[in-house]
Each structure stands twice: as structure tokens, then as C-alpha cells.
Amino acid sequence: MNEEHQSNTLNFLSVLGVFWKRKLFISYFVFSAAIISVIVSLLLPSIYRSSAILSPSDSESSMSNSLGGSIGGLASVVGINLPSAGTVSVEAFKSLTTLSFFENSVLPYINLEDIMAVDYWDASKNSIVYDKKKFDSQKGVWVRKAKNLALSKPSSQEAYKKFRKSISISEDPKTKLVTVSVEHKSPYVANLWASIMVNEINKKFRSDHKKEASIAIDYLNSLISQTNYSEVKKAIAQLIQSETQKMIVIESNPEYVYTIIDPPAIPELRAKPRRAFICIAGTLIGFIIGGFVTLYRDRDKIFSSSK
């Protein structure tokens, strides 16, 4: 046991001795890796992140409670689906990352070139410089070469794939708070996109549910005129009243699906790259590589000294 401990100690001391003798050789790797990591970190573009924190609105739960019970049962009989608490926010959460939401509610309000052709953001002028090989900003035309089925001007599906990489949607399982984050080379574009997504998701579901309620009211009005039974008319009248209440809730609440707890702001600091971390990690990798090369070159000396 003592001999094994003495051998391990001797090996460790031998390695330290070799490292000390080859310190200039190892320093070359460390210095080179440090320089390369600094250059790489400086070449990486700054990415800014704008985030918003949302909470499921109380409107859907209050509306669900007001439309529940016997009225809800009758509604299902006549073919009207009333929303249950939580279903609207679940649908909205899933809709945020869909192609249809991007095409209909996001893309019409943003510049396609801000997704597909950004070179860098000029902070001094607060302007985006576009890649000249892709987009001619002076003429406002796409100049990139068409490949396969892709046209010179990117399609909405192609833009969606790129846009999807820039956004992050997450939900806290305990609090049910939803975080919508958008990353871009321009902090102003990141803030704009985040604001559009938050506003448009509420606008979309308000519009959809308002249309559904309007159709339901028209249908119930036609139905009530076709029956002669007073009890049925009374029940249908209650449904009409409920749908009207639903319309009132929708019209009076701009934050119909999500209440904005923390609105998106224009970020002042970049989210990435973490340049200090890259430099430290690069320098450490250089030391590790230099150490392994040294151990490999002087392995005979190390093992011979331990015998």
C-alpha cells in the first residue's frame, strides 16, 4: 500500500516536473488558444433578447363559470361548444409557435429581410445592414440565387423556419406564467417582434371567438323563431344571453387570452455571445491541449522516473 502511494506521488511529481520544464511549450498553446478565443468572441455578432411575461387571463375562467351548468348542457345539445377554463390559454400557447400564426399574425407586420438577410446592426445609426448577396436595400429587391424550389424571395415557410430559431416560448408548470422571448441582432427588432407576438395572440383569439359568438347568436335567433314551446324558447333565450355576455367580455378585454405581467422592453445589454466565458474557456482548452501534448511527448521520461 505504501509502495503504491509512493508510486502515485512520484508520478504526480514527475508530471509537475515535466510541465515545469516544458512551461514555454505549454504557454505557446495557452497563448495561441487565448488569442484565437478572443478573435472568435469578437467576430461573433451581438445578439439581443427581448422578453415578455404573460399570465392566462381571468376572462376565460369567468366566462366558463357564467356559461356552465345547465346552460352548458343545453348548448351542447343544440351544437354550440362553450369554452372550458384553461382551454383557451392552452390553445394560445400552442398557436404561438405555429406556421399559421406566423403567416397570418406576425409576417404581415415585420420585414422579411429582417429575418432572412441581416448582416449586422449599426448601433451608431440604429439601422440594420443587410447582406448584399441576399437583399439590395437601396432597390428593395431580393438578389440571392434561387436554389432548388426556393425562389429569390424567401417563402413564408422558409422565413418561418428561420424565425422559429429566434423565438423561445416557455411555461412555468407551477405558476402557469408564459415567457415569450425573441432574439435578434437588433435590440429594436427583438422588441418589435416580441410586442407583435404578444399583442397578436390576444387579437387573434378575440377575433376568432367574437366571430364564433356572432355566428352562435345568429343561429340561436333563427332557432328560437322555429319553435313554439315556451320552455325551449326560454332556454334558447338564456343561451343567447350567455353568448351576448361572451361578446361583451371579448369586446371589453384587449388582453383576452393573456394578461401582460411584464411587457417586452428594448434590451440595452446583449444576451450573447458571452465573450468573457469564451475567452476563459478557450484559454483553459489551450492549457489542456498543451498538457496532453507534453505528456505524450515526454511519456517515456515520466514512466521511467516512476520505476
Side-chain angles (χ1 to χ4, degrees):
M1 188 71 178
N2 291 334
E3 291 180 359
E4 184 179 352
H5 176 72
Q6 185 177 4
S7 176
N8 291 335
T9 303
L10 189 58
N11 278 332
F12 179 71
L13 294 175
S14 300
V15 170
L16 288 179
V18 169
F19 275 17
W20 178 253
K21 290 180 181 180
R22 302 292 185 181
K23 57 183 179 293
L24 293 178
F25 178 76
I26 296 175
S27 298
Y28 170 79
F29 282 91
V30 173
F31 182 76
S32 299
I35 294 296
I36 292 173
S37 61
V38 169
I39 294 174
V40 169
S41 67
L42 293 175
L43 289 176
L44 292 173
S46 296
I47 304 296
Y48 297 87
R49 182 186 297 119
S50 182
S51 301
I53 299 177
L54 314 175
S55 174
S57 177
D58 292 333
S59 61
E60 60 170 308
S61 59
S62 60
M63 185 166 57
S64 176
N65 292 333
S66 66
L67 303 179
S70 59
I71 293 180
L74 180 58
S76 62
V77 171
V78 297
I80 299 175
N81 294 321
L82 300 179
S84 59
T87 56
V88 178
S89 58
V90 171
E91 291 176 5
F93 180 78
K94 294 180 179 179
S95 296
L96 280 166
T97 55
T98 60
L99 173 62
S100 60
F101 178 72
F102 172 74
E103 286 181 325
N104 300 323
S105 302
V106 178
L107 189 57
Y109 303 103
I110 65 178
N111 296 322
L112 184 60
E113 55 269 25
D114 288 345
I115 305 176
M116 303 298 297
V118 177
D119 190 4
Y120 64 92
W121 174 62
D122 188 342
S124 61
K125 299 179 181 179
N126 186 22
S127 61
I128 296 176
V129 178
Y130 299 102
D131 187 344
K132 295 180 180 179
K133 295 181 180 179
K134 297 180 180 179
F135 182 76
D136 188 335
S137 58
Q138 294 182 347
K139 296 180 179 179
V141 295
W142 289 90
V143 295
R144 69 172 192 164
K145 295 181 180 180
K147 295 181 179 179
N148 300 326
L149 297 177
L151 302 176
S152 179
K153 181 180 179 179
S155 66
S156 58
Q157 292 187 26
E158 188 179 358
Y160 167 73
K161 290 180 180 180
K162 189 73 176 292
F163 179 81
R164 185 67 183 85
K165 296 178 181 178
S166 303
I167 65 172
S168 174
I169 315 293
S170 60
E171 182 183 48
D172 189 308
K174 293 182 179 179
T175 62
K176 299 301 179 181
L177 294 179
V178 175
T179 301
V180 178
S181 299
V182 179
E183 294 183 348
H184 198 272
K185 293 178 181 179
S186 166
Y188 293 89
V189 172
N191 172 253
L192 174 64
W193 289 2
S195 300
I196 288 173
M197 292 188 69
V198 170
N199 293 330
E200 287 301 312
I201 194 65
N202 278 318
K203 183 178 177 181
K204 166 184 163 52
F205 276 83
R206 283 185 72 201
S207 177
D208 291 348
H209 288 186
K210 180 181 177 181
K211 189 180 297 183
E212 291 173 3
S214 179
I215 293 173
I217 291 173
D218 291 340
Y219 170 69
L220 290 169
N221 281 324
S222 65
L223 194 65
I224 200 172
S225 63
Q226 297 174 10
T227 181
N228 297 321
Y229 296 100
S230 58
E231 290 297 327
V232 176
K233 283 187 174 183
K234 182 179 179 181
I236 294 176
Q238 287 182 293
L239 283 175
I240 294 174
Q241 181 181 2
S242 298
E243 287 295 322
T244 304
Q245 290 175 352
K246 179 179 176 181
M247 288 279 285
I248 294 173
V249 171
I250 294 171
E251 289 286 0
S252 63
N253 188 9
E255 297 180 344
Y256 173 62
V257 182
Y258 286 121
T259 300
I260 303 174
I261 303 299
D262 186 22
I266 300 173
E268 296 180 352
L269 301 176
R270 67 176 182 270
K272 56 185 181 183
R274 298 168 58 187
R275 293 193 170 96
F277 174 80
I278 292 174
C279 294
I280 294 173
T283 303
L284 181 61
I285 291 172
F287 173 77
I288 293 173
I289 293 174
F292 273 114
V293 173
T294 299
L295 290 175
Y296 180 78
R297 292 181 59 182
D298 295 338
R299 62 188 182 280
D300 294 336
K301 295 181 181 179
I302 295 174
F303 288 116
S304 62
S305 62
S306 63
K307 294 179 180 180

